[in-house]
Amino acid sequence: MAASKITLGSPVTDLYGIGPEAARKLAKLEITTVYDLISFVPRRYNDWSDVQSISSAQEGEQISFYGTVTSDPVRKGYKKQSPVSFYAGDGTGRIEVSFFNAPYIMDKFRAGDEIFVHGTVSFYGTRAQVVNPFCEKAGSGDGLRLIRPVYNLTAGITSNMINRWAATALKLVAGQIPDIIPPALKEKEKLCDAADAYNYVHFPKTIDEAVEGRRRIAYEELILLGIGMKNFMTVGGPDERAPVVIPSSGALPADASARWKKVISNLGFKLTGDQKKAITDIEHDLMEARPMNRLVQGDVGSGKTAVAVLSMAMTAIMGKQAVLLAPTSVLAKQHYDSATAMLEGSGINVALLLGKTKASLKKEIKEQLRDGEASVIIGTHAVLTDDVSFKDLALVIADEQHRFGVKQREKLLISRDGSDGINSVHNLVMTATPIPRTLAMVIYGDMATSVIKQKPAGRKEIKTHFLPFTDGQDIYNVLLTKLRKGEQAYIVCPRIDDDSEEVAPDEYYYDDFLIEPLKEPVPEPVSVKKMKQRLDDRGISSEFETAVLYGSMKESAKLEVMERFLSGEIKVLISTTVIEVGVNNPNATMMIIMNADRFGLSTLHQLRGRIGRGDKQSYCVLCSDNKNERALERMKLMCECSDGFELAGKDLELRGPGDFFGTRQHGIPTLRAANLFTDAPLASAACDAVNELLDRGGEEARKLMDNIGVMFRLRFADKMGNL
Ligand code: ADP
Ligand code: MG
C-alpha cells in the first residue's frame, strides 16, 4: 500500500482493495473520498441476533442458529470448485450446510467446531439445508457481528464490500475526525464521540448502538449544513453592502410607464392575482436598499416565466441589467423566445448566451453586456463559468433552482464587474419544488417567499390514467386519437437504449427492494430507442413525425429537435426526463410515461406538468408492468392527486423512515444520517448551540470554525457543483 498518509480527504482508490472500476461505481453513490466512505451511513440493518433452534427451520425462511459441526467438510465432486458441505447440529436437529465456490471451507471448519450460521433454509425431501450462508466460528475474533448493515447500493457494489472498505478506512482515519459538536450540546443530547459514532453505524453490536451512532452523525450533518452554508458559501450569507440601487418611482425615466404598458400588452393574457402579487413583492424588494433574496414557489404551469420576464423588464426599464439562468440550454432558448416576444417594441435588448454559442458571437454578446447594450440576458450556467462582466447588473434570477448547485450561482456573482462584492445584486429563485420553510432557511438563509397557487384561467384539469402494461394496443390507440386531432404528445422512457446505464434520476427500484423484498420481479425498462422502434414498426412514424431527445445528444441537435417540436413539425417526442423541467408547448396534450413505477412522485408530477398548458383537454398515461404493491400505490396516488405540494409530501412519506428522501431532486445535498424534512427543528437547535460557542470567540471558537470549514468542504461544498 502507498506509504503516504491516508487522510479523510484522500481518494478512495488510496485504500487497499479499491481499484478504478470500484471507484467509478462508488462515485455513483457520491463516494469519492475516504470521508465519504465512513460517513456513508447504512440505510437499515438486518438483525440476525434472533437465534432459533434448527428444528424450527422452515422452507424458504431465514434462520440464525448456534450449533456444532458434526462431520468434517466433504467435497461433493472431483474439481477444486465443487460444492463443499458438512452437517451441523444443536441438540434439536441436524442441518446440512453447503457452500458453492468456496473451496477454503474445506480447511476452515472441523468436526467439533462451535459455529454460528445465518442463511435461508431449503429442503430436499425431509432434509434441511442452508446454502452459502453466513457461517463463522462462534466466539471468534472480535465476536460475531449479527447486526448486518444494508447500504444504498448501485450495480456491482454490495453491502459487504462497503462495510469491509469502511472498516479499512476507519482503522486509518478514526483519530483524524474533528469533533464539531460543542460540549454543552453533546452533554445535553447525550451524544457519543465522533469516532465511536462511525464505528457504531457500520459495526453495531446492537440496534440501539446503530441508532446512537446515527443520531450523532445526523447532528454533525445538520451543523455542517446550517453553519457551513452561511459561513463558507456566499449565497444567503449576511451582507451589509447595499445592492445596486434601483431608482424609486419618483426617479423613473420619462418613458418608463409607456414601455411597461407595451410589455404588459405583449403578454396576450391577463395575469393571475398570484402572479400580480409576486410581481408587486419583487418590485418592492428591488427598491429596497438591501439585496432581495426571494423564492417564487409555484406549481408547474402556474406561469413563473412571465413573473421572471416582467421582473427583468422592470429592472431594464430602470436602466439596469438582469440575468435569467436556466438549467438546460433547451429551457434557456425557450425563455429567450418568450422574453423576446414579451419585450418586443419596449426598447429592451435581450441576449442569449449558451455553452455552444459560437466564440465570435459570444465575444460580441459579452461586449454588449459590458457596455450595457443588452440589458436582459438569458443563459445556462455556461454564463457562469465564462468570465462575463456587466455594466450594471442588478438582478439575477435562477429558474428551477433545484437543478443547479449553490456553487454555480456563487461563481456568477463573483464574476460580476467591479469590487462591490458578491451579494450586492438582487436574487430571485423560481422553483416548482415545495421546499418546507424550515428547510429553505437552512439552505438559502433567510429568504422571503412568494407563492403562486392560482392556475391561469381556462385551464382544464389533466386526466391521469394508469395502464398496467408497457406495450399494448391501447397505448397506441390513445396516442393516435390525439395525433389525428392535430395535437402533440410526449413519451418519456427511463433509459436511452437497452445497454445504457442512465436511469431515472430518483429510481425507485432499489428503494422497494431494500425496504421489503419484492414479491414480483421488476420488468426491464423500455428505452427511448426501443420506443422509437415500436412507433416505426407500427407505422405511426410514417404517418406522424416522431423524434427522440435525450441528455447526451449534442446541444445543437437537442435544440433543433425541440424547435421542430415547438413549431408543431414533430408530433411525438420520445425522450428521457430531460424534458422534465420547464418545457412549454401548449399544443402538446398527451404525456405517456413508460415504466412510470421507476420515477418518484415529484418527477412524475413535473413530467405531467409539461401538458395541460393550453385550453385543450390533456391526458397523462402512466404505463407500468410492475406488479409490486408499493409501485401500484404510487400510480394510484398520481391518478387521484394533481396538487404538487400534496404529492411532494406523500412522496416523502412513501419513501419511509430511514430513507434518503431522494433529496437530490430538491437540489439539496443528499443527507446520509439526518432527515432534512423531519429533523429541521433539530437543525436550528444544533446550530444555535454552535453559534453560541462561536459568538464567545477566542481560541476554542476559532478552532471549531476551522473544523467546521474543513468538514463542510469534505461533506458538502466539494459536491455541490454537481447537484
Ligand atoms: P411554469 O410556472 O411551470 O414555469 P410557465 O411560465 O411555463 O409555467 O407558463 C405555462 C404557460 O402558461 C405558458 O404557456 C404561459 O404563456 C401561460 N401563462 C402564464 N401566465 C398566464 C396567465 N396569467 N394566463 C394565461 N396563460 C398564462
Ligand atoms: Mg418554468
Side-chain angles (χ1 to χ4, degrees):
M1 206 196 320
S4 67
K5 191 178 160 200
I6 293 196
T7 64
L8 292 170
S10 301
V12 283
T13 43
D14 281 6
L15 293 173
Y16 181 74
I18 304 185
E21 185 55 23
R24 201 180 58 80
K25 290 173 181 158
L26 286 173
K28 288 193 185 163
L29 299 169
E30 293 188 23
I31 300 175
T32 54
T33 66
V34 168
Y35 177 69
D36 291 340
L37 193 55
I38 65 167
S39 61
F40 196 71
V41 174
R43 59 179 302 139
R44 65 176 180 85
Y45 298 86
N46 280 327
D47 186 354
W48 294 353
S49 63
D50 180 16
V51 172
Q52 295 121 301
S53 60
I54 292 176
S55 63
S56 70
Q58 296 275 341
E59 169 76 32
E61 298 284 315
Q62 306 223 321
I63 189 171
S64 292
F65 67 86
Y66 284 100
T68 311
V69 178
T70 58
S71 61
D72 285 343
V74 290
R75 185 173 286 140
K76 295 184 161 178
Y78 301 103
K79 296 198 196 104
K80 191 162 183 300
Q81 293 300 330
S82 300
V84 173
S85 73
F86 56 79
Y87 282 91
D90 69 349
T92 73
R94 207 167 77 116
I95 195 164
E96 186 177 9
V97 184
S98 303
F99 298 86
F100 288 85
N101 298 317
Y104 62 89
I105 294 290
M106 284 298 284
D107 305 318
K108 189 167 170 184
F109 298 103
R110 281 283 155 271
D113 285 348
E114 299 294 320
I115 55 168
F116 170 84
V117 177
H118 177 90
T120 305
V121 178
S122 54
F123 276 83
Y124 57 104
T126 56
R127 281 193 289 176
Q129 63 169 355
V130 279
V131 178
N132 286 343
F134 171 85
C135 179
E136 286 295 331
K137 285 185 189 149
S140 64
D142 311 333
L144 292 171
R145 294 198 297 102
L146 302 185
I147 311 290
R148 311 294 298 186
V150 177
Y151 298 87
N152 254 357
L153 298 174
T154 184
I157 299 286
T158 65
S159 283
N160 274 337
M161 287 167 156
I162 294 187
N163 194 244
R164 214 169 51 232
W165 292 328
T168 312
L170 260 177
K171 282 203 188 90
L172 295 163
V173 300
Q176 300 174 34
I177 307 168
D179 197 337
I180 57 160
I181 301 196
L185 181 67
K186 206 157 140 185
E187 189 158 322
K188 179 159 163 271
E189 297 296 330
K190 305 214 168 5
L191 299 171
C192 61
D193 288 333
D196 288 342
Y198 291 97
N199 267 310
Y200 290 168
V201 292
H202 294 294
F203 321 106
K205 292 196 188 63
T206 60
I207 291 285
D208 286 349
E209 215 175 63
V211 170
E212 194 184 337
R214 184 188 191 99
R215 200 163 63 89
R216 149 91 204 199
I217 298 172
Y219 268 91
E220 279 186 10
E221 260 185 333
L222 295 170
I223 288 173
L224 290 179
L225 199 59
I227 304 288
M229 279 284 188
K230 290 210 173 65
N231 292 283
F232 303 102
M233 284 288 173
T234 47
V235 174
D239 182 32
E240 277 85 54
R241 285 167 297 226
V244 175
V245 178
I246 302 229
S248 64
S249 41
L252 281 181
D255 60 349
S257 127
R259 291 170 74 194
W260 180 253
K261 278 205 186 109
K262 173 72 183 146
V263 175
I264 295 287
S265 73
N266 281 347
L267 278 179
F269 48 71
K270 260 184 77 194
L271 292 169
T272 63
D274 283 348
Q275 282 173 318
K276 276 192 200 148
K277 171 83 175 54
I279 291 161
T280 314
D281 287 346
I282 293 161
E283 188 181 1
H284 281 286
D285 286 357
L286 290 178
M287 308 289 179
E288 288 281 331
R290 205 162 61 86
M292 167 169 74
N293 198 21
R294 181 171 290 278
L295 188 67
V296 174
Q297 233 174 46
D299 204 352
V300 282
S302 61
K304 294 185 291 295
T305 313
V307 173
V309 175
L310 290 174
S311 307
M312 293 197 289
M314 205 184 289
T315 310
I317 288 173
M318 290 164 178
K320 310 285 171 185
Q321 290 171 299
V323 170
L324 172 59
L325 299 171
T328 64
S329 50
V330 165
L331 207 51
K333 174 69 170 59
Q334 181 184 291
H335 284 333
Y336 174 74
D337 292 341
S338 336
T340 314
M342 282 192 217
L343 302 179
E344 208 206 318
S346 67
I348 299 169
N349 286 335
V350 189
L352 174 70
L353 192 54
L354 301 176
K356 62 136 210 166
T357 306
K358 274 206 207 78
S360 57
L361 185 58
K362 247 186 207 165
K363 193 159 159 272
E364 197 179 307
I365 294 171
K366 284 185 194 171
E367 257 157 42
Q368 292 177 0
L369 299 179
R370 205 170 312 127
D371 63 22
E373 197 186 314
S375 46
V376 164
I377 166 102
I378 297 170
T380 56
H381 54 258
V383 183
L384 304 166
T385 46
D386 292 10
D387 72 296
V388 180
S389 57
F390 298 88
K391 177 155 184 267
D392 208 353
L393 180 65
L395 172 66
V396 175
I397 306 178
D399 187 34
E400 304 294 353
Q401 177 59 30
H402 64 290
R403 279 307 180 89
F404 26 173
V406 176
K407 224 178 182 177
Q408 289 168 332
R409 268 195 296 160
E410 176 195 14
K411 263 189 207 148
L412 171 82
L413 301 180
I414 287 171
S415 68
R416 69 174 293 264
D417 197 22
S419 54
D420 49 353
I422 34 188
N423 269 345
S424 60
V425 288
H426 296 286
N427 237 311
L428 189 62
V429 173
M430 309 258 161
T431 181
T433 311
I435 302 170
R437 178 94 199 107
T438 38
L439 184 53
M441 294 281 283
V442 175
I443 309 287
Y444 300 114
D446 204 358
M447 258 201 167
T449 312
S450 301
V451 178
I452 309 185
K453 268 208 146 47
Q454 295 164 331
K455 289 259 152 99
R459 289 285 161 78
K460 292 202 178 68
E461 180 111 349
I462 299 166
K463 297 204 169 123
T464 304
H465 297 285
F466 172 63
L467 293 180
F469 41 79
T470 53
D471 192 16
Q473 193 51 44
D474 287 10
I475 297 171
Y476 308 105
N477 289 348
V478 289
L479 178 64
L480 284 168
T481 337
K482 279 294 192 190
L483 296 180
R484 291 191 174 135
K485 280 194 208 159
E487 295 166 28
Q488 291 166 278
Y490 297 94
I491 303 180
V492 173
C493 305
R495 277 191 198 174
I496 299 172
D497 53 45
D498 290 331
D499 358 281
S500 88
E501 287 182 23
E502 185 168 324
V503 291
D506 56 345
E507 203 177 10
Y508 255 92
Y509 173 71
Y510 283 109
D511 277 312
D512 282 344
F513 181 67
L514 290 173
I515 288 169
E516 53 192 59
L518 293 173
K519 293 207 176 67
E520 303 275 346
V522 173
E524 275 298 298
V526 179
S527 66
V528 166
K529 290 186 182 159
K530 189 186 272 166
M531 199 63 214
K532 169 81 171 113
Q533 191 62 48
R534 285 184 188 171
L535 296 190
D536 294 352
D537 293 348
R538 286 170 182 264
I540 297 176
S541 301
S542 51
E543 191 177 345
F544 298 100
E545 179 94 29
T546 61
V548 299
L549 182 76
Y550 47 83
S552 54
M553 272 163 63
K554 271 172 68 184
E555 283 300 298
S556 53
K558 269 193 265 188
L559 285 172
E560 193 206 311
V561 168
M562 213 50 225
E563 211 133 280
R564 290 174 53 218
F565 182 63
L566 292 176
S567 73
E569 189 186 330
I570 291 172
K571 299 295 182 195
V572 184
L573 189 63
I574 309 160
S575 92
T576 56
T577 51
V578 285
I579 54 110
E580 175 195 339
V581 167
V583 172
N584 186 35
N585 178 357
N587 192 48
T589 53
M590 168 142 292
M591 166 64 67
I592 299 174
I593 304 174
M594 287 290 141
N595 306 99
D597 57 289
R598 292 191 173 242
F599 303 92
L601 293 177
S602 300
T603 304
L604 290 173
H605 182 66
Q606 271 286 340
L607 288 170
R608 180 166 62 183
R610 295 311 108 220
I611 55 170
R613 295 181 155 251
D615 48 14
K616 297 187 203 87
Q617 180 62 53
S618 290
Y619 294 90
C620 174
V621 182
L622 307 172
C623 304
S624 160
D625 32 26
N626 187 334
K627 301 277 182 291
N628 291 288
E629 238 166 78
R630 274 163 52 87
L632 293 172
E633 193 181 342
R634 286 199 302 274
M635 298 303 104
K636 189 159 163 273
L637 253 172
M638 282 304 296
C639 294
E640 289 167 357
C641 178
S642 59
D643 181 325
F645 286 63
E646 200 180 321
L647 280 172
K650 286 274 196 272
D651 203 5
L652 302 178
E653 219 172 89
L654 278 178
R655 283 164 190 255
D659 196 350
F660 293 86
F661 298 111
T663 44
R664 177 176 276 282
Q665 60 178 313
H666 299 275
I668 298 158
T670 323
L671 291 190
R672 290 171 169 177
N675 172 347
L676 254 189
F677 292 85
T678 56
D679 288 342
L682 205 137
S684 51
C687 293
D688 286 351
V690 173
N691 280 321
E692 196 178 298
L693 204 155
L694 291 176
D695 287 346
R696 265 185 254 154
E699 180 59 18
E700 200 185 344
R702 198 188 54 74
K703 194 140 179 259
L704 177 63
M705 198 56 160
D706 283 354
N707 284 338
I708 291 178
V710 169
M711 299 292 276
F712 178 70
R713 271 183 281 276
L714 273 171
R715 182 66 189 80
F716 294 116
D718 295 343
K719 302 199 155 43
M720 286 192 182
N722 14 334
L723 273 178

